[in-house]
Short mmCIF file of all heavy atoms in Angstrom, two decimals:
data_model
loop_
_atom_site.label_atom_id
_atom_site.label_comp_id
_atom_site.label_asym_id
_atom_site.label_seq_id
_atom_site.Cartn_x
_atom_site.Cartn_y
_atom_site.Cartn_z
N PRO A 19 3.59 -1.02 -13.48
CA PRO A 19 3.04 -1.67 -12.29
C PRO A 19 2.19 -2.82 -12.73
O PRO A 19 1.66 -3.56 -11.95
CB PRO A 19 2.18 -0.59 -11.65
CG PRO A 19 1.68 0.17 -12.78
CD PRO A 19 2.80 0.13 -13.82
N ASN A 102 9.19 -6.25 -4.19
CA ASN A 102 8.44 -5.00 -3.96
C ASN A 102 8.34 -4.15 -5.21
O ASN A 102 9.23 -4.15 -6.05
CB ASN A 102 9.13 -4.16 -2.87
CG ASN A 102 9.30 -4.91 -1.57
OD1 ASN A 102 10.37 -5.41 -1.27
ND2 ASN A 102 8.24 -5.00 -0.79
N ASN A 103 7.27 -3.38 -5.28
CA ASN A 103 7.18 -2.29 -6.23
C ASN A 103 7.34 -0.98 -5.48
O ASN A 103 6.55 -0.68 -4.56
CB ASN A 103 5.81 -2.29 -6.93
CG ASN A 103 5.76 -3.27 -8.07
OD1 ASN A 103 6.78 -3.59 -8.68
ND2 ASN A 103 4.56 -3.75 -8.40
N PHE A 104 8.35 -0.24 -5.82
CA PHE A 104 8.60 1.07 -5.19
C PHE A 104 9.52 1.78 -6.19
O PHE A 104 10.75 1.72 -6.08
CB PHE A 104 9.27 0.88 -3.82
CG PHE A 104 9.20 2.08 -2.90
CD1 PHE A 104 9.44 1.92 -1.54
CD2 PHE A 104 8.90 3.36 -3.37
CE1 PHE A 104 9.39 3.00 -0.65
CE2 PHE A 104 8.84 4.44 -2.50
CZ PHE A 104 9.09 4.26 -1.15
N TYR A 105 8.88 2.40 -7.19
CA TYR A 105 9.62 2.89 -8.35
C TYR A 105 10.58 4.01 -8.01
O TYR A 105 11.49 4.31 -8.78
CB TYR A 105 8.63 3.33 -9.44
CG TYR A 105 8.16 2.19 -10.31
CD1 TYR A 105 8.17 0.87 -9.85
CD2 TYR A 105 7.72 2.42 -11.60
CE1 TYR A 105 7.74 -0.17 -10.64
CE2 TYR A 105 7.29 1.37 -12.41
CZ TYR A 105 7.30 0.08 -11.93
OH TYR A 105 6.89 -0.94 -12.73
N GLU A 106 10.41 4.64 -6.85
CA GLU A 106 11.39 5.64 -6.43
C GLU A 106 12.78 5.02 -6.29
O GLU A 106 13.79 5.71 -6.37
CB GLU A 106 10.97 6.27 -5.09
CG GLU A 106 9.82 7.27 -5.19
CD GLU A 106 8.44 6.64 -5.11
OE1 GLU A 106 8.30 5.43 -5.42
OE2 GLU A 106 7.49 7.35 -4.74
N MET A 158 -3.27 -8.45 -0.29
CA MET A 158 -2.88 -7.36 -1.18
C MET A 158 -2.74 -7.90 -2.59
O MET A 158 -2.01 -8.87 -2.80
CB MET A 158 -1.58 -6.70 -0.75
CG MET A 158 -1.33 -5.44 -1.59
SD MET A 158 0.27 -4.68 -1.32
CE MET A 158 1.32 -5.86 -2.10
N CYS A 160 -1.74 -6.96 -6.38
CA CYS A 160 -1.14 -6.02 -7.32
C CYS A 160 -1.85 -6.15 -8.66
O CYS A 160 -2.27 -7.23 -9.06
CB CYS A 160 0.35 -6.31 -7.47
SG CYS A 160 1.16 -5.28 -8.73
N MET A 168 -0.55 -9.74 4.05
CA MET A 168 0.37 -8.88 4.79
C MET A 168 -0.16 -8.60 6.21
O MET A 168 -1.27 -8.07 6.36
CB MET A 168 0.52 -7.55 4.06
CG MET A 168 0.96 -7.68 2.61
SD MET A 168 2.68 -8.14 2.47
CE MET A 168 3.42 -6.52 2.28
N ALA A 195 3.85 11.22 -1.72
CA ALA A 195 5.04 10.54 -1.21
C ALA A 195 6.23 11.50 -1.24
O ALA A 195 6.21 12.54 -1.90
CB ALA A 195 5.34 9.30 -2.04
N TYR A 214 5.22 10.64 -6.30
CA TYR A 214 4.11 9.70 -6.43
C TYR A 214 2.93 10.26 -5.63
O TYR A 214 3.09 10.69 -4.48
CB TYR A 214 4.56 8.37 -5.84
CG TYR A 214 3.74 7.13 -6.19
CD1 TYR A 214 4.19 6.25 -7.16
CD2 TYR A 214 2.56 6.82 -5.52
CE1 TYR A 214 3.49 5.08 -7.46
CE2 TYR A 214 1.85 5.66 -5.81
CZ TYR A 214 2.32 4.79 -6.79
OH TYR A 214 1.63 3.64 -7.07
N ASN A 243 8.96 -1.30 2.07
CA ASN A 243 7.51 -1.43 2.16
C ASN A 243 6.82 -0.10 2.47
O ASN A 243 5.61 -0.06 2.72
CB ASN A 243 7.12 -2.49 3.20
CG ASN A 243 7.57 -3.88 2.78
OD1 ASN A 243 8.68 -4.28 3.11
ND2 ASN A 243 6.76 -4.59 2.03
N ARG A 248 2.56 4.38 5.30
CA ARG A 248 2.00 4.08 3.98
C ARG A 248 0.52 3.74 4.11
O ARG A 248 0.05 3.33 5.15
CB ARG A 248 2.80 3.00 3.26
CG ARG A 248 2.79 1.59 3.80
CD ARG A 248 1.73 0.67 3.26
NE ARG A 248 1.71 0.34 1.85
CZ ARG A 248 2.41 -0.65 1.30
NH1 ARG A 248 3.23 -1.36 2.00
NH2 ARG A 248 2.26 -0.91 0.01
N GLY A 256 -2.79 -2.79 -5.74
CA GLY A 256 -1.67 -2.41 -4.88
C GLY A 256 -1.15 -1.00 -5.09
O GLY A 256 -0.67 -0.37 -4.15
N PHE A 257 -1.25 -0.49 -6.33
CA PHE A 257 -0.64 0.82 -6.58
C PHE A 257 -1.33 1.96 -5.83
O PHE A 257 -0.78 3.05 -5.72
CB PHE A 257 -0.52 1.11 -8.08
CG PHE A 257 -1.81 1.28 -8.84
CD1 PHE A 257 -2.47 2.50 -8.86
CD2 PHE A 257 -2.35 0.22 -9.57
CE1 PHE A 257 -3.65 2.66 -9.59
CE2 PHE A 257 -3.53 0.38 -10.30
CZ PHE A 257 -4.18 1.61 -10.30
N ASN A 259 -1.78 1.87 -2.75
CA ASN A 259 -1.21 1.83 -1.39
C ASN A 259 0.10 2.63 -1.33
O ASN A 259 1.19 2.09 -1.17
CB ASN A 259 -0.95 0.38 -0.97
CG ASN A 259 -2.23 -0.44 -0.92
OD1 ASN A 259 -3.33 0.10 -0.82
ND2 ASN A 259 -2.09 -1.73 -0.99
N ILE A 260 -0.02 3.91 -1.45
CA ILE A 260 1.15 4.80 -1.58
C ILE A 260 2.07 4.71 -0.35
O ILE A 260 1.61 4.69 0.80
CB ILE A 260 0.70 6.25 -1.85
CG1 ILE A 260 1.90 7.19 -1.99
CG2 ILE A 260 -0.27 6.74 -0.78
CD1 ILE A 260 1.50 8.60 -2.44
N LYS A 261 3.36 4.67 -0.65
CA LYS A 261 4.39 4.50 0.38
C LYS A 261 5.07 5.82 0.74
O LYS A 261 5.11 6.74 -0.08
CB LYS A 261 5.46 3.54 -0.14
CG LYS A 261 4.94 2.15 -0.47
CD LYS A 261 6.01 1.29 -1.11
CE LYS A 261 5.54 -0.15 -1.21
NZ LYS A 261 6.56 -1.02 -1.82
N1 LIG B 1 5.51 5.78 -3.33
C1 LIG B 1 5.20 4.63 -3.96
N2 LIG B 1 4.23 3.86 -3.43
C2 LIG B 1 3.90 2.68 -4.03
C3 LIG B 1 4.54 2.26 -5.23
C4 LIG B 1 5.56 3.11 -5.75
O1 LIG B 1 6.18 2.82 -6.80
N3 LIG B 1 5.87 4.28 -5.09
N4 LIG B 1 4.17 1.08 -5.83
C5 LIG B 1 2.82 0.56 -5.53
C6 LIG B 1 2.58 -0.80 -6.02
S1 LIG B 1 2.42 -0.98 -7.71
C7 LIG B 1 2.38 -1.86 -5.17
S2 LIG B 1 1.92 -3.39 -5.75
C8 LIG B 1 2.60 -1.72 -3.71
C9 LIG B 1 3.59 -2.77 -3.24
O2 LIG B 1 3.68 -2.76 -1.83
P1 LIG B 1 4.67 -3.76 -1.07
O3 LIG B 1 6.01 -3.62 -1.68
O4 LIG B 1 4.63 -3.38 0.36
O5 LIG B 1 4.12 -5.16 -1.29
O6 LIG B 1 3.09 -0.44 -3.37
C10 LIG B 1 2.49 0.65 -4.04
N5 LIG B 1 2.93 1.90 -3.46
#
Side-chain angles (χ1 to χ4, degrees):
N102 303 100
N103 278 333
F104 198 163
Y105 276 24
E106 285 87 336
M158 188 187 71
C160 175
M168 305 287 265
Y214 196 102
N243 295 90
R248 68 91 63 86
F257 67 83
N259 298 339
I260 180 172
K261 299 175 171 180

